[in-house]
Amino acid sequence: MSRPALIVLVGLMLVAPAAGRPLDDRREPSRERAFVSGQLIVGFKDGVSLAQQSRALGRYSGKVRRRFGRIDGVLASLPPARVQQARRALERDPRVEYVEPNFLLRTDSHGDPGDPAFHNLWGLHNFGQQVAGVAGMPDADIDALEAWQVSQGSPSVVVGVIDSGVDVGHPDLASQIWINPGENCAGCRSNGVDDDGNGYVDDWRGWDFADGDNDPSDDNGHGTHVAGTIGAAGNNGVGITGVAWNVRLMPLKFIGADRTGTAADAISAILYASSKGAQVTNNSYGGDGFSEAMLDAIRSADSAGSLFVAAAGNSFTDTDEEPNYPSSYDAPNVISVAASDAFDHRAWFSNYGRTSVDVAAPGMNVYSTWPGGSYRFEDGTSMAAPQVAGAAALARSAFPGASDVGLKALLLRSADPVGALSDAVRTGGRLNVNTAVRCADQARVWLDSPAPGFEVRAGDPLPIRLIATRCAEATGVSAHVEVNDLPIELTARGDGLYTGSYTPPAGAALTVVAGAEAAGGADTQSVSGMAVQHQPIVPGGDPVTVTTTSPGENALLSFTGTASRRIALQVSGVTVGTSTCCSMRVSFISPSGSEWLPPVPFGRNGGFIDTRTLPWDGEYRILVDPQGSDVGSLTLTLYDVPPDVSGSISPGGPPATAMRARCPARTPFSPSAGWPGSGSA
Ligand code: CA
Ligand code: CA
Ligand code: CA
């Protein structure tokens, strides 16, 4: 902690405008424009008498409220309507050295660190400054400036940078690089011996898994950029600052100059990080291939207490539907991070997902370190994840007893809700590290599973996983969960993670409420979902009648489909609701669990869903969702639609006959009733 440095900086802010030049807001890029109305601070040149000073101000009805004798300045009060006129005139007055507003200063904010490019870091502190040609929205940031009043990090916190390596000699990073104590005895760094017996020879500052050597230097740039955002040295008079001013960055290179790496190398890096005590890893890479081994490595990291922060990916994709890995792995130590911009909107390229992406963080025009001692702007969820990893490092230094899942609960429960992100990420918001580090013995509960909108078959167990902590620590907190007011028995892992399950006996709306209590305050979180009846239906087989008996209850029918098979659905015998229109919705769900056909409204007259071609192999489901509090029954007939019949006919030629090769079973061909086969002749 270097709190005195901050105090000095606040002092500098007062003095800084007195630079002997006209005060112009447009030339004050690194300062918030909050000031006292009807006041100016005016500095006079040497030799200007007190009487002359009073006369200069008196022309604008200004009065001296206070004199700053040693700096030859005054605090003047003026009629607010005359302040601008007075300011412009005084700037031209040859007796006046400077004129400036009486800026508002707060003890818990507005202390810029002494890093010359700090004003570029809108994600840490956004006051609407121009960054890369964009003036953002004030306070669309993670409140790092305020958080540093509480914690600036600690060299005992290690963050693994699993990436393309790190420029370990960069002036803003060299002091932050982790040193492996097991390879740091005299001569051990280069003795060709695996002194710590971890399988890596002379791995004194991380490892290059791509090339299999002990030089994790960066020949791409990506990892160096990520490292700077997590923990470039703060307040060192050089370049930028990381979210954490003090931290140890463990360079784990597995991506080469071509920006690609292998899952195997990533897995090795993940295992290395947690075995060497990294409390956090940053993982700004991904793909769409699911790897059980990588999931196991992530679970192993969880066992070792290592938080896994992952970029959600840049494919502009809903990862609830199309997963991105590693960010979509379902493990309690994974935080998936989307990118936000300087207006608190989701960055256009960022993946999103109401259940699979947790939180957004700044990821547009992020200025950070680059190999060769330089800096540059980059965009990406790759740039957003390290903001969260850095925040985790700050929180870990503020709460030394924090577990990995505890950090997750704390960070996610500290997010600022943002309207534009409400449908993009699970928290509906953007990281706020200040809220996290200012937690004071308060309970923080996070329902890791199930996710909002979950659906479970009646009779199947619903797994429940929650994190309940005091700030980020597992001690001094009690946890409980109820499903529809019924208490659920929980098993504690000991680090803040609790598991249990509930088996709904019938289809019904379900509300899962998790609660936690600690000395500083309680926390609750709830998610809603649905238990659904489940029964099979066969294309071309018997009609199935479903009945709902309690309001909110849905019904689910499933069938096995193959790609390119054609189906149609008839709805009849409807007793749900009283209206002739729209008392019930029927939708199809794909084998991956996403909506394939959007809900079609039906009323008492029933109707058809026309022929559709199944796009995938697997188990499809038909969801019957009565609207409002309607209950009742209906009959569904799923048709197996045969291929269209083709023939040829020529103008002026002979008559042509097109006939079905066969009739589908139990399907009366009745054009007047609207046979669903759109291709029927
Ligand atoms: Ca070794
Ligand atoms: Ca050695
Ligand atoms: Ca710096």
Side-chain angles (χ1 to χ4, degrees):
M1 295 280 290
S2 50
R3 194 174 289 257
L6 267 181
I7 293 165
V8 170
L9 287 160
V10 171
L12 280 175
M13 289 184 62
L14 258 180
V15 177
R21 54 179 166 76
L23 186 117
D24 179 338
D25 278 348
R26 287 169 298 173
R27 295 174 61 172
E28 297 294 323
S30 60
R31 204 150 291 111
E32 275 197 81
R33 292 172 194 138
F35 50 81
V36 180
S37 167
Q39 293 190 356
L40 289 173
I41 294 174
V42 184
F44 291 94
K45 288 182 177 157
D46 286 348
V48 178
S49 70
L50 300 185
Q52 284 176 310
Q53 292 178 13
S54 295
R55 266 202 302 280
L57 292 166
R59 293 174 57 192
Y60 311 99
S61 311
K63 290 187 170 56
V64 173
R65 289 174 63 98
R66 192 185 314 160
R67 293 189 187 277
F68 309 109
R70 280 174 292 176
I71 60 170
D72 239 350
V74 300
L75 173 64
S77 61
L78 301 98
R82 300 199 68 182
V83 167
Q84 285 309 316
Q85 179 203 5
R87 188 171 148 185
R88 282 192 295 271
L90 288 166
E91 281 169 355
R92 291 191 298 269
D93 191 318
R95 294 167 294 187
V96 170
E97 187 82 38
Y98 60 82
V99 188
E100 66 193 49
N102 184 14
F103 290 112
L104 289 172
L105 297 171
R106 302 182 188 88
T107 54
D108 64 347
S109 64
H110 310 139
D112 293 10
D115 301 87
F118 180 74
H119 64 274
N120 274 343
L121 307 181
W122 66 266
L124 303 189
H125 181 49
N126 188 348
F127 51 92
Q129 73 269 42
Q130 286 265 350
V131 178
V134 177
M137 183 175 75
D139 205 34
D141 59 34
I142 70 169
D143 279 347
L145 205 57
E146 294 86 340
W148 293 329
Q149 304 283 338
V150 176
S151 172
Q152 295 156 4
S154 161
S156 67
V157 178
V158 180
V159 179
V161 182
I162 301 177
D163 212 295
S164 63
V166 176
D167 177 5
V168 293
H170 194 291
D172 237 348
L173 296 172
S175 62
Q176 314 289 80
I177 302 300
W178 171 80
I179 301 292
N180 177 5
E183 292 275 2
N184 204 36
C185 45
C188 286
R189 293 181 176 186
S190 57
N191 60 1
V193 174
D194 180 11
D195 292 286
D196 59 355
N198 68 344
Y200 299 97
V201 175
D202 296 347
D203 54 321
W204 63 278
R205 55 176 183 187
W207 193 254
D208 178 351
F209 296 90
D211 299 324
D213 62 47
N214 72 342
D215 179 9
S217 295
D218 186 2
D219 48 17
N220 174 273
H222 188 269
T224 298
H225 201 275
V226 162
T229 298
I230 298 166
N235 199 26
N236 66 341
V238 174
I240 58 153
T241 172
V243 177
W245 290 13
N246 301 305
V247 69
R248 288 297 172 262
L249 302 165
M250 182 190 284
L252 299 170
K253 175 178 176 176
F254 86 101
I255 293 173
D258 62 353
R259 291 207 159 203
T260 60
T262 69
D265 287 343
I267 289 163
S268 295
I270 294 165
L271 296 173
Y272 184 104
S274 55
S275 72
K276 278 295 179 183
Q279 297 98 336
V280 181
T281 59
N282 188 84
N283 301 272
S284 287
Y285 56 90
D288 55 11
F290 177 93
S291 162
E292 185 66 45
M294 188 177 288
L295 177 55
D296 284 350
I298 293 168
R299 287 179 175 144
S300 163
D302 183 28
S303 304
S306 187
L307 182 69
F308 190 93
V309 180
N314 301 335
S315 312
F316 184 47
T317 295
D318 183 348
T319 55
D320 292 355
E321 314 237 334
E322 292 177 47
N324 173 76
Y325 299 108
S327 65
S328 292
Y329 286 122
D330 181 26
N333 59 329
V334 173
I335 297 183
S336 173
V337 185
S340 59
D341 68 12
F343 303 90
D344 264 346
H345 295 135
R346 179 170 58 82
W348 65 270
F349 52 78
S350 178
N351 286 353
Y352 53 97
R354 196 73 181 83
T355 66
S356 57
V357 182
D358 293 311
V359 69
M364 282 278 275
N365 295 326
V366 176
Y367 192 69
S368 187
T369 45
W370 200 257
S374 62
Y375 300 85
R376 70 158 66 175
F377 288 100
E378 289 281 294
D379 296 338
T381 56
S382 282
M383 283 65 238
Q387 316 259 0
V388 174
L394 269 196
R396 183 61 168 67
S397 64
F399 306 106
S403 64
D404 59 339
V405 292
L407 290 172
K408 178 176 178 176
L410 177 64
L411 292 173
L412 296 186
R413 291 298 275 169
S414 300
D416 279 338
V418 175
L421 297 168
S422 60
D423 291 327
V425 294
R426 170 83 194 274
T427 56
R430 182 250 311 125
L431 175 71
N432 187 313
V433 65
N434 182 50
T435 304
V437 298
R438 286 182 194 270
C439 177
D441 284 334
Q442 290 144 324
R444 289 287 179 261
V445 69
W446 175 255
L447 253 174
D448 210 41
S449 178
F454 69 87
E455 193 180 273
V456 60
R457 292 177 184 182
D460 284 358
L462 172 70
I464 295 167
R465 189 168 77 203
L466 72 146
I467 302 165
T469 54
R470 179 176 49 88
C471 296
E473 300 175 352
T475 57
V477 64
S478 63
H480 54 94
V481 169
E482 294 83 36
V483 179
N484 289 1
D485 297 326
L486 186 76
I488 304 300
E489 190 178 335
L490 292 175
T491 303
R493 195 168 73 172
D495 63 349
L497 189 85
Y498 298 79
T499 52
S501 78
Y502 171 72
T503 303
L510 298 178
T511 302
V512 183
V513 180
E517 282 82 37
D523 193 17
T524 65
Q525 193 189 31
S526 68
V527 304
S528 295
M530 190 66 66
V532 290
Q533 296 178 38
H534 175 247
Q535 47 191 309
I537 188 168
V538 179
D542 289 335
V544 174
T545 299
V546 298
T547 304
T548 65
T549 53
S550 59
E553 184 179 0
N554 293 351
L556 199 62
L557 300 104
S558 65
F559 65 95
T560 301
T562 50
S564 80
R565 187 176 192 172
R566 305 202 302 171
I567 53 100
L569 184 73
Q570 182 178 29
V571 175
S572 60
V574 181
T575 69
V576 179
T578 54
S579 66
T580 54
C581 167
C582 314
S583 47
M584 170 193 57
R585 289 160 170 268
V586 175
S587 53
F588 280 75
I589 299 165
S590 76
S592 71
S594 60
E595 197 174 80
W596 170 48
L597 294 184
V600 176
F602 289 100
R604 298 208 83 152
N605 295 335
F608 286 106
I609 292 177
D610 261 352
T611 299
R612 306 287 171 154
T613 303
L614 300 179
W616 308 282
D617 294 342
E619 186 188 52
Y620 289 75
R621 288 172 292 165
I622 303 168
L623 178 68
V624 178
D625 179 9
Q627 299 297 287
S629 57
D630 282 351
V631 296
S633 63
L634 69 158
T635 299
L636 296 106
T637 308
L638 188 62
Y639 296 109
D640 193 6
V641 182
D644 287 341
V645 176
S646 61
S648 59
I649 187 165
S650 51
T657 304
M659 291 188 67
R660 288 190 181 285
R662 61 184 172 86
C663 259
R666 271 180 273 275
T667 50
F669 180 56
S670 169
S672 61
W675 164 248
S678 57
S680 58

